[in-house]
Amino acid sequence: VLAELKSREKYYTYDTVSQLQTDKIKINKTTNINITKDLTNADINKVTIETVYDYSVSNYPYNKSDGSLDTFDKTFTSLSSLFVMYDNSATVSNGAKLENIYVFYYPAYNSSDTGVRINSETININNNTGVEKKVYLIKQVNGYLTPGQRETCENSYTPQINNSGDSIQLYHNLNTNLANPSGTVGAVDNNVVNSHTDILPTDTKVLVYDVQISIYEQGAAASNFTAAIPLLTLDGSMNDD
């Protein structure tokens, strides 16, 4: 945007991005989570993350050479990044196989508290492995925001989640306000058929430790307890209740 202004602006010179009217900059963020399999070996899987930012401005003001005010509209080239999250092509021979996919991310909020507003956030989960996968999509707390700012951002966070290819079981915390567990969140457009908010299953008990003590006749250890029968076995445990 700054470079575009410099090419148009004849009456006043913009030097830094701090002079930009960020409220007129529209950013759409798209994240593609791609889960694929090798054509020669279904056990060889790769997971890549691609993030694309589309920038545009509408009715952005600038001064013409005669000093009069005008505006311009423009869509800029998308900025994207791609990295490999998982690739077992070299380790599958040792038994490494893709089971669950965990994606931890910072939400792209539509709030001036984060600097430039993100107009929309879309997350596409593309499963092309031929089998159903469990995907855990976990939004993280942005530590740069105050609790008040974070709650405001969560109230207006409206991501769109899509699934293509083979089915997935999606576990997420999109409906949880990260600043206030009892607070509300923006409308989540979740198009995944099999979607769950119970990220961690509830156990009947949480085991702290479980101990079994066996007492043998003297000399049993010398034979590595082979064929030895314990004289007495004591079971002990401790759980959170």
Side-chain angles (χ1 to χ4, degrees):
V1 177
L2 183 62
E4 181 67 22
L5 275 175
K6 287 182 176 180
S7 70
R8 292 172 175 266
E9 183 64 79
K10 306 300 180 184
Y11 187 72
Y12 177 78
T13 302
Y14 284 84
D15 297 317
T16 64
V17 293
S18 63
Q19 295 171 289
L20 296 177
Q21 297 185 32
T22 56
D23 61 319
K24 295 186 178 299
I25 302 175
K26 183 178 179 180
I27 303 177
N28 294 318
K29 178 188 176 187
T30 302
T31 301
N32 297 309
I33 304 170
N34 301 308
I35 314 166
T36 59
K37 68 175 180 179
D38 191 276
L39 295 177
T40 61
N41 187 341
D43 289 333
I44 296 178
N45 295 121
K46 180 180 288 187
V47 181
T48 61
I49 300 287
E50 180 185 26
T51 305
V52 181
Y53 294 90
D54 291 314
Y55 292 78
S56 63
V57 296
S58 179
N59 294 321
Y60 199 99
Y62 73 101
N63 291 302
K64 299 170 67 175
S65 57
D66 61 3
S68 63
L69 187 67
D70 201 352
T71 61
F72 73 93
D73 301 337
K74 185 170 183 177
T75 299
F76 297 90
T77 303
S78 300
L79 299 178
S80 63
S81 59
L82 175 70
F83 68 92
V84 177
M85 183 178 174
Y86 176 87
D87 184 355
N88 69 331
S89 57
T91 56
V92 67
S93 58
N94 296 325
K97 295 184 180 180
L98 179 65
E99 294 184 5
N100 304 328
I101 295 95
Y102 297 86
V103 180
F104 300 88
Y105 77 104
Y106 291 108
Y109 293 123
N110 186 5
S111 171
S112 57
D113 288 332
T114 59
V116 179
R117 296 174 180 267
I118 303 296
N119 181 66
S120 68
E121 171 151 73
T122 302
I123 299 176
N124 300 315
I125 306 172
N126 310 308
N127 179 18
N128 295 304
T129 62
V131 295
E132 185 176 80
K133 291 293 182 184
K134 286 185 178 179
V135 178
Y136 291 79
L137 183 65
I138 314 298
K139 61 180 180 179
Q140 300 290 284
V141 171
N142 186 334
Y144 289 98
L145 299 174
T146 66
Q149 290 174 329
R150 193 179 304 130
E151 183 162 9
T152 300
C153 289
E154 284 283 289
N155 288 336
S156 60
Y157 181 53
T158 57
Q160 181 181 45
I161 316 298
N162 303 314
N163 170 219
S164 65
D166 300 306
S167 65
I168 64 171
Q169 294 286 339
L170 178 66
Y171 294 82
H172 65 88
N173 63 342
L174 299 172
N175 300 110
T176 300
N177 190 308
L178 296 181
N180 179 8
S182 61
T184 60
V185 295
V188 179
D189 187 5
N190 186 356
N191 298 307
V192 179
V193 175
N194 302 312
S195 186
H196 315 273
T197 56
D198 52 335
I199 300 175
L200 295 176
T202 302
D203 295 326
T204 55
K205 67 176 182 178
V206 177
L207 195 64
V208 177
Y209 67 81
D210 194 0
V211 178
Q212 184 181 81
I213 300 174
S214 298
I215 301 174
Y216 295 83
E217 289 185 348
Q218 184 174 352
S223 61
N224 199 26
F225 300 99
T226 302
I229 300 176
L231 300 175
L232 181 65
T233 298
L234 302 175
D235 291 311
S237 67
M238 174 64 72
N239 55 55
D240 66 344
D241 56 11

